[in-house]
Amino acid sequence: MSENPTHGTNGRGPAALVIGGGIAGIQAALDIADAGFHVYLVERSPSIGGRMSQLDKTFPTLDCSACILTPKMVDAGRHPNIDLYTYSEVVQVTGEAGNFHARIRMKPRYVDPEKCRGCGLCAEACRLAGRVSSDFNAGMGQRAAVYVPFPQAVPLIYTVDPEACVYLTRGVCGKTFKCKDACTAGAIDFDQKEVFVDVEATTIINATGFDVFDANLRPELGYGAYRQVITSLEFERLASASGPTAGKITLDGTLPKKVVFIQCVGSRDQSLNIPYCSRVCCMAIAKQAHLAHDRLPGAEITVFYMDIRAFGKGFEEFYDRVRHEGVLYRRGNPSEVLRRGERLVVRAEDTLLGEPVEVEADLVVLAVGIRPRADAAELAGMLGLAQDENGFFQEAHPKVATVESNRPGILLAGCCQGPKDIPDTVAHAKAAASAALIQMAQTQKAMVTAHAAN
Amino acid sequence: MTFTPRIGVYVCHCGINIAATVDVRKVTQWAAQLPGVVVSRDYTYMCSDPGQALIQNDIRDLGLNRVVVASCSPRMHEPTFRAAVSAVELNPYCFEMANIREQCSWVHPAAETTTQKAMHLVGSAVAKAALLQPLEQRQAPTTPAALVIGGGIAGMQAALDIADAGFEVTLVERTASLGGHVGELDRTFPTLEATADLLSAIVERVVHHAQVRVLTEAEVSAVGGFVGNFEVDVRHGDETEKLKVGAIIVASGFDVFDARRRPELGYGDYPEVITTLEFEKMSQGEGWVNGREPKKVVFIQCVGSRDQVLGHPYCSRVCCMVTAKQARLVRERLPNAQVTVFYMDVRAFGKGFEEFYDGARGAGVLYRRGNPSEILRRGERVVVRAEDTLLGEPVETEADLVVLAVGMTPRADTEALAGLLKLARSSDGFFMEAHPKLRPVDTAMAGVFLAGCCQGPKDITETIAQARAAAATAMVPLMRGKVTVEAATSFVDEELCAGCGQCASLCAFGALSLHPTKGVMVSNAVLCQGCGACATACPSGAISVRHFTFDQVMAQIEVVADFRAPQLSVAPAEVASSS
Amino acid sequence: MLQIEALPITQQYDLFACIQCGKCTGGCPMAMKTRLNPRSIILRLLTAGDGFDLEGREELWDCTTCSTCSSRCPKKVNPMETIIGLRGAFVEKGRVHPNVKTALESTFRQGNPLTMPRDQRGAWAKELGLKEYTEGTDYLYYVGCTPSYDPRAQKVSRSLVSLLQKAGVDFGVLGNKENCCGSEIRRLGEQGLFEMMVEENGETYKGLGVKKMLTTSPHCFNVYRNDYPKNGMAVQHYTQVLAGLIEGKQLEFGGRVEKTITYHDPCYLGKHNSIFDEPRAVLAAIPGVTLVEMDRSRQKSLCCEGGGGRMWLEGTNPSVRLAQMRVKEALEVGAQVLATACPFCLLTLDEAVKHLNADDRLQVLDVAELAAQAL
């Protein structure tokens, strides 16, 4: 489907607008499109894929995340019924159920999508190659000012980062644009402007995802102070084949020998006003502990926890397996992390031993909780949606209506409504698709009836 | 005109999933000089956009007519690559996969022998590819109707969604009433609202929906056909009704663990010991056990779950919250009662759950970590023996009411239903979804979907979400109006067939029948699932399965069993690495 | 046997909220050297049934009330207050260490726990010509018992006075009329005496119309700010006042202090009240100072064992002293001066330096003393 339509309105029957191109948005879009309806899928970053594209392997099957995600990404990118708007944002929504008008702002990539072949010569040539912190790599890796977030991006079109590019921030790029010179397709275009597209939709699905807890808010755990304390998301990037170390779990080239994982950082914590459980971290850490065990032969791996929430299909069995492999689970919520020489020491009470313990570590991984996106309130304002007391979008009823919001015609899918793992997210997104399909089928029927009556 | 195969071979690294164990470059180079191979490439993720583009460009530019991708299991990405080659007008059955991941890199250590095995697998795929024939995929229209098996909350929700979308739904429930296990609950967590209110709202909608037909005291007795065109027999009373539907949703629910299987807990011996389900009934006003208000109530988690000895190693997911809810209710109704919960982990993971758990403790419920070992009689009461693992001491707690949080189990009749619908089961005994992440509501049988606890323990929120997900997935073929029928089906060589019927007796799908006049067997291409049982049994070698013909399979076996350097009857091919 | 009823304590301190995660014990400085285990105590109270036996639980007197436990608890349980509550039970039964008895009686009689005569309280300021606080004076400078009577700590009070005078701050003192704030009394479990003191002191300040108070000690600061009823009186620790004066350019330093200094966060400033930056700002403003940080800084600061009545109690393991560990940490980080802003920290760290014979390598000085050196 064309990446850059100049107008995106109808004549095609009822359409859905899906805001957010992570797995929730992609799944909802695919189901609606497969059923024969039109979908506008809007994603703010240069590629769809979302958080799932940042994961290495997924629990409990240890499927590689990219393997199960990229085919869906490709499907969404090529589906005749899906109009994909990446590097775009919805800036205004008016109207009501059955008749929404949305304005999409297509941010300028400064790269012509019709010409770019995704070859990467511009990024190699860029003056800032290797010097711009990569968001996709959670700050663990570097890239150039012109980039694709990861090699399997959909669409595979380069984007110039307006906050990093020397020309865009300072007005000059040496004597000549290195990127332009390197590009054999003539795709770099610094005159590109933002484009606004107006679309009409019967229903809107909010699939805008989540952020993670800022571990700086728990300073006694040493994040930010000690290089060897990282978050679970950063660990995920280290462990990924597409990450900054090509899957080698290392911070400086040497392999850690003592790894300590700490659960519930920024979850189940009333002192931070974050009383809820983030649901996925027990299993995510079990998976990461397994990966660490796999890739760091002979390493001592410890997980400090309060409760192990291995509740889903295959989860308890996976938790059994990881313990069998020799990962040591110690019950206790660590109080602080201190430096001891070259290493770190984690102080906790092992509540089952009933004694305080100090465990040495050369890598500490904090299981950071799932938080609403920093701009959730803005989005709530634009869509007229209510937020719950934790900042996630409020569902119409916590048991029987978790995809409906307080606003008729606007549905919720995935983690923007509350923490979920991938299977839960896919089910939730499909449920949202079901609700959308019902509305769209009813709208279509009404349209047909009206048309026949004329 | 003889056919000259022009084969493209694509070896996937799958990130490091294959590349860390198999020398993919070596495999690529080796494949380049196999007979018929025109080009051999490797890439990090073949299933991605750029990976697929490599194949498509070569088909166009190099005139490839057969494609081999060496990567993961075909169950993962065969449809992906078939679609990719179809998009550039190469017949999807001219594509073959070599599984060098699940069958090679994931099960062997990195070694020379592992790379050699990958080469064997690729070689056999190339040999087969050279013999593949294009096949036409047919389209069949779908019946715009659905069948939902099970009238609990999952079945009802799925039925409502499909009906709201405009299709006819038949809801078959084996008991006399709708509602399933949810109908037995007093209140739900974390809102503590009366379940009856939630449930009756849904039941009302179902019963009054113009598009939903409810058959109670009814059972499905036979299922035939295929996606979009199922033919189902439903028995109710003395009659058997025949239905035609386009999609089937299985929402048959669960059973509870029989607590007598843990005799040391005294269930069945002591009247003071009941299950959480019995507590729900009691809670709805049947009066306290033994007619007395209890003063000391003990709840025991994980009875029949997380228990490898009993063959139930899985977690039943809902019991931590059910217990928290019930414990809290006891404290609210009997403020002077001591309420203790014995647990191993408190799994309060969902929205509002942790806060509810905080509330239960705030209401005075005492949580003690330890899995009780036995319950004994002590006078008028019973005593629960456990270790409080945080105190590090054995403890004895008196109780006049003990509530066992019994786990969910697959229904006793799961086997029968599985047989009817050809459903697979996971190791925990519940129905198995096609893929836990990619396809959580599909089964391996196209057109048959799963909703609710029959697929695994869930609470009401998750059940409803999954039921709606199943409805969405079922709606897709119904809304499209047509389905694509798999082309790799059996066919009969009429010259060789003696009409003995051995094949038909083996066919689980009823796809083979005797031609009325010719005296030979006929294969129904839409019913046939391509399993190959008939082909192996036929004494005359008269039946073959398309895409798995005798020649094709033998070519594969020859490569794998008798590995020798292939004859260089064609010019060595272009070798390129695109990573 | 020293049985008490567990249920009232469990309810008063909402112990059912506890999920036994162990974060309290894991961070407790006294758990590093004694049997003190806040989590275990809470569990024993919860499961006590008929009664909780205080007999043999001497470790309850080891607690320094540093509040590491309470500040980190994810379920808002307050183990520290629970321990103070249990101390109260000891006090009610008359089972207190003689040192504690003496301190309590002295406070009752002489208005300070140090057994010093009431009429000597203002003596340290005799030559300084300080104004007596009257209604309308801007600040009440609340000196505190230790900074009034202890010779070492008096240097801090004098330094602070010179700083305030140089900055032109309008302040007054109570002289001999100043009465103990009651902080340590409460933390020793003597709730009854504490409530009397709150009432008495409250009336004094109300009668004088005190609107702004600054204190030498973080303990006094904390109790007036958080434990006394809200009475319209704004309480600050002196480092906050100095930091404000420096920023407003009312206090400027003409001299230099050429030293490498590391700052020890007092528990009652840092962990209790999240005041980490102001003392550092004052030190950083002194010309010539090089500030280095110990690993255990800010929220992880290592308690000196001076609070919670520990100035009068050796505890169950006197052979290991956290103050000595702290001094070693300062030396390791290359400091010449170990700076602090609390009289208890000052005295315990000073003693530790002497015990380790490190006087030639490390000086313990209060922030006020250092600032005054640079005037």
Side-chain angles (χ1 to χ4, degrees), chain B residues 21 60 66 87 132 165 172 181 194 199 202 239 241 250 266 288 297 320 326 357 455 467 497 570 577:
Chain B
T21 323
R60 271 191 297 252
R66 298 289 181 273
L132 287 173
V172 172
H181 281 287
L199 191 59
I202 298 183
E239 296 178 15
E241 192 179 320
V250 179
W288 296 104
V297 185
C320 280
Q326 294 183 345
Y357 171 41
Q455 181 261 343
C497 175
V570 291
S577 172

Side-chain angles (χ1 to χ4, degrees), chain B residues 510-533:
Chain B
L512 290 158
S513 53
L514 190 61
H515 191 280
T517 54
K518 288 193 198 169
V520 294
M521 303 304 287
V522 175
S523 170
N524 179 330
V526 290
L527 291 176
C528 173
Q529 297 294 312
C531 74

